[in-house]
Amino acid sequence: MSDILDRLHRMFFRVVSLLPTSVQGRFLRHYFEWVHHLPDPWRYDTEPYEIDKYEMTLRHVPHRAYRRVLDVGCSEGAFTRRLARAYPGAECWGVDVSDRAVTRAAAKAAGAARFVALDFLNEDPDGTFDLVICAETLYYVGRDERLRLAYGRLRSFMAPGAVLVLVHEWPEARRLYRHLDDNPFFRRVSEHPYEHPVRSYAVTVYERVEPASRDRAALVRAPRTDPMTRLDTGAPAPGLGGRQGPAFSAMTQGRRRDHSRSRMRPFRTLLLAAVLATGTAAAGRPVVDELPLPSAFDAHTLQDRYELHAWSGRQFLAWSRRGDGQAIEVVGDLANARTVIVYVPGSGQSLASFDDSAESTGRAARALYDEAAALGPGTAVIGWLGYDPPDLVNPEIATIWPADRGARRLRPFLSLLPRHVRLSLVCHSYGSVVCARAVAGSPVRDLIVTGSPGLGVRRASDLHTSARIWAALGRGDDVFRSGLLIGPFGFGTDPVSAEFGARVVDGGDAQHHTYLRPGTRTLTEITHIAVRGRERAA
């Protein structure tokens, strides 16, 4: 079964690689942000298999005096720290697409190495390096053109004569490296496969070389047949903004594409995504039973609930560890509140990540409460993780199915809240889809969505609610908003677009996970709307 799930997992990332590189990079960033919602998700720091692999990798790095060292896809820096110890005279860098990963990596390294969040397919590290490590990363790049692009990117920040060390599963490594073996700018130095009871792997070493002038001239004269690539002339591939660095069409010489086949690619992509969405739903986050709701919201009933679900002195209406966990937390005096804000988180959230980051349920609820308290007394905030948010690893995230399941739980919860309170919903990312499907017929006055991929409809009026709809999108937010809405697939019109009809809140420079970070202008604006029903006066 695990082998089947692994195949489906790899197949899904091959479908993702059919997207433009910028979109693929955004997806991978969100995916690995979710993966790192728990520290050290692959146990790189503690797993004997990983530690043994690190030692074998270091053994096969050619002995040289390296000046600058780069670890691509460093996760939380377990191997980067070993590199820093092995080469104390070198400047060691680790890059990973996940902000969470590199933040933890920097804390663990305590200055021994430097870390930066970076998508190496679309962004450049600072300067060039004479030792580059890329381990367990190329699986996510895709096939053929994307692998060629990846090798061109790696070469672009390698100094002449630099060493490239690749570590991947064996024998799959042979497939991953076949384009590199044909690349005239790289020479294979050594390859060391290792059989291991956990998983076989290989340590393969390449060196960056410059082909002879005659061979290089032949490369420059080679026909440019592939629109995804360009010769080593610095000409950018279309749609990549000139940031992808050199790639090499000599490797694709003689492989001309059929135009009709190219036109069919979007339809094949959509078909594959649909098949994967239905065929791998069971492999994603388990769906567990709904949390039991309180019979009333008076002081006595609430106190009984808090005592029943006591957890570190906090006020929980309910929580469960089943599946990835659910919880509903109250911040403030709900029994006597005049205003209630319900916060609904987005994809990848779980009980384990309840207090992990600014958009996680517990921290967001406390941030909203603290900001509301500055406006005056009488507001309570409820952090509602009462549904099973989809994971980025599960193609169901591209559908409304998890949102429908969540809305069926959120709707009765909202209807039980006292009618005399002013009720607002603040919903982040995929949580906005859940809220949009629950708001019709509810007593909600204001629905405020942040970083939303869409609300599952084409216009705000299609939500059939008297609640006012507010939408915020920061300039630094790279949430994917396709505008697609075909049956259960896609989420419809961008909520901040004029044709959708929502009230647009200026998201400033907010990134996807920073709208409710304490001290930010967006937190102040959102709370002001939720409490008073209007934007803060200028």
Side-chain angles (χ1 to χ4, degrees):
M1 181 65 179
S2 61
D3 183 63
I4 294 174
L5 293 180
D6 185 64
R7 289 174 181 270
L8 288 171
H9 187 255
R10 299 287 176 83
M11 188 185 303
F12 177 62
F13 282 99
R14 290 174 189 172
V15 172
V16 171
S17 73
L18 297 177
L19 298 168
T21 53
S22 58
V23 179
Q24 181 189 16
R26 292 174 192 168
F27 180 92
L28 292 177
R29 189 181 300 277
H30 290 309
Y31 170 74
F32 283 105
E33 279 292 287
W34 170 80
V35 166
H36 287 91
H37 74 281
L38 290 177
D40 197 14
W42 291 286
R43 300 187 295 277
Y44 285 150
D45 276 313
T46 58
E47 187 68 35
Y49 166 76
E50 300 295 343
I51 295 171
D52 177 70
K53 188 166 59 176
Y54 295 150
E55 296 304 318
M56 299 307 295
T57 300
L58 284 172
R59 181 180 301 179
H60 296 298
V61 175
H63 296 289
R64 298 182 185 177
Y66 297 107
R67 183 180 58 87
R68 302 189 79 216
V69 178
L70 178 67
D71 186 9
V72 177
C74 66
S75 186
E76 295 183 14
F79 186 61
T80 318
R81 296 194 301 276
R82 284 174 169 81
L83 285 168
R85 291 194 295 269
Y87 303 101
E91 181 183 313
C92 288
W93 285 81
V95 298
D96 196 278
V97 74
S98 166
D99 287 296
R100 287 177 178 170
V102 297
T103 299
R104 293 185 188 129
K108 293 177 182 178
R114 305 178 187 182
F115 296 90
V116 64
L118 182 144
D119 168 18
F120 85 97
L121 287 181
N122 295 286
E123 300 171 302
D124 295 320
D126 183 22
T128 59
F129 300 82
D130 42 18
L131 173 60
V132 175
I133 311 288
C134 184
E136 309 289 358
T137 299
L138 295 175
Y139 312 118
Y140 301 99
V141 167
R143 299 171 67 91
D144 298 330
E145 290 91 350
R146 288 297 159 86
L147 283 171
R148 295 188 184 97
L149 174 63
Y151 295 136
R153 297 289 296 138
L154 289 171
R155 176 184 172 270
S156 70
F157 42 80
M158 290 174 65
V163 171
L164 172 64
V165 179
L166 302 174
V167 186
H168 291 86
E169 184 178 351
W170 183 264
E172 186 176 3
R174 284 287 89 230
R175 177 188 68 81
L176 293 171
Y177 307 158
R178 69 176 184 268
H179 299 303
L180 190 59
D181 287 330
D182 295 334
N183 191 319
F185 294 93
F186 285 94
R187 176 178 65 87
R188 178 142 54 103
V189 176
S190 64
E191 186 164 73
H192 306 274
Y194 288 97
E195 295 291 334
H196 196 283
V198 174
R199 190 177 63 157
S200 298
Y201 65 93
V203 180
T204 309
V205 179
Y206 289 85
E207 183 179 29
R208 182 193 155 176
V209 297
E210 291 296 324
S213 58
R214 182 174 55 187
D215 296 334
R216 186 177 179 86
L219 285 173
V220 174
R221 290 195 300 270
R224 302 182 177 186
T225 61
D226 192 335
M228 284 294 296
T229 59
R230 286 293 184 268
L231 303 180
D232 187 28
T233 60
L240 301 182
R243 303 186 65 186
Q244 84 288 359
F248 308 100
S249 64
M251 293 175 235
T252 59
Q253 187 174 1
R255 297 179 58 210
R256 298 184 180 275
R257 292 184 178 180
D258 186 317
H259 182 62
S260 62
R261 184 178 175 187
S262 298
R263 287 187 300 175
M264 288 298 293
R265 172 177 266 187
F267 300 100
R268 297 202 328 264
T269 302
L270 182 60
L271 177 61
L272 282 170
V275 170
L276 285 168
T278 55
T280 66
R285 173 162 297 190
V287 178
V288 298
D289 295 337
E290 181 178 359
L291 292 174
L293 300 179
S295 57
F297 285 87
D298 59 87
H300 178 72
T301 303
L302 290 174
Q303 189 58 39
D304 285 346
R305 278 289 180 133
Y306 300 156
E307 292 176 359
L308 177 64
H309 300 287
W311 182 12
S312 303
R314 293 162 68 173
Q315 300 178 148
F316 282 88
L317 293 178
W319 62 274
S320 170
R321 294 188 185 278
R322 295 188 62 189
D324 287 311
Q326 299 179 47
I328 304 174
E329 182 180 16
V330 174
V331 186
D333 184 2
L334 180 57
N336 297 301
R338 298 188 301 272
T339 301
V340 174
I341 303 172
V342 177
Y343 173 74
V344 179
S347 61
Q349 295 299 315
S350 67
L351 189 62
S353 64
F354 200 79
D355 296 313
D356 193 51
S357 57
E359 84 282 2
S360 59
T361 318
R363 283 180 58 180
R366 290 194 295 277
L368 286 164
Y369 176 79
D370 291 343
E371 193 70 29
L375 298 176
T379 297
V381 180
I382 300 173
W384 189 84
L385 182 62
Y387 79 118
D388 304 289
D391 297 336
L392 282 171
V393 70
N394 186 351
E396 242 194 345
I397 194 173
T399 75
I400 61 170
W401 295 324
D404 277 338
R405 294 193 293 264
R408 285 195 293 269
R409 300 181 183 188
L410 180 58
R411 197 177 297 115
F413 178 80
L414 297 175
S415 67
L416 285 175
L417 291 169
R419 288 284 172 171
H420 67 272
V421 303
R422 188 185 195 290
L423 178 60
S424 296
L425 274 175
V426 177
C427 312
H428 177 64
S429 193
Y430 192 89
S432 66
V433 192
V434 177
C435 294
R437 305 189 81 75
V439 73
S442 76
V444 172
R445 299 275 193 90
D446 291 280
L447 168 60
I448 308 145
V449 301
T450 61
S452 174
L455 300 184
V457 293
R458 301 193 186 282
R459 297 176 181 83
S461 59
D462 295 338
L463 295 176
H464 304 294
T465 177
S466 60
R468 288 172 294 189
I469 313 300
W470 306 76
L473 184 72
R475 288 185 288 274
D477 192 337
D478 56 1
V479 65
F480 182 56
R481 308 180 309 284
S482 67
L484 179 72
L485 186 60
I486 303 176
F489 296 93
F491 305 112
T493 309
D494 184 352
V496 299
S497 65
E499 59 267 30
F500 185 77
R503 302 170 185 233
V504 177
V505 181
D506 182 10
D509 294 324
Q511 298 179 344
H512 192 63
H513 303 295
T514 65
Y515 292 96
L516 301 182
R517 182 173 289 173
T520 59
R521 185 174 61 82
T522 49
L523 172 61
T524 301
E525 292 287 356
I526 290 164
T527 308
H528 205 281
I529 295 168
V531 173
R532 296 186 174 171
R534 62 181 184 274
E535 292 183 87
R536 184 178 52 167

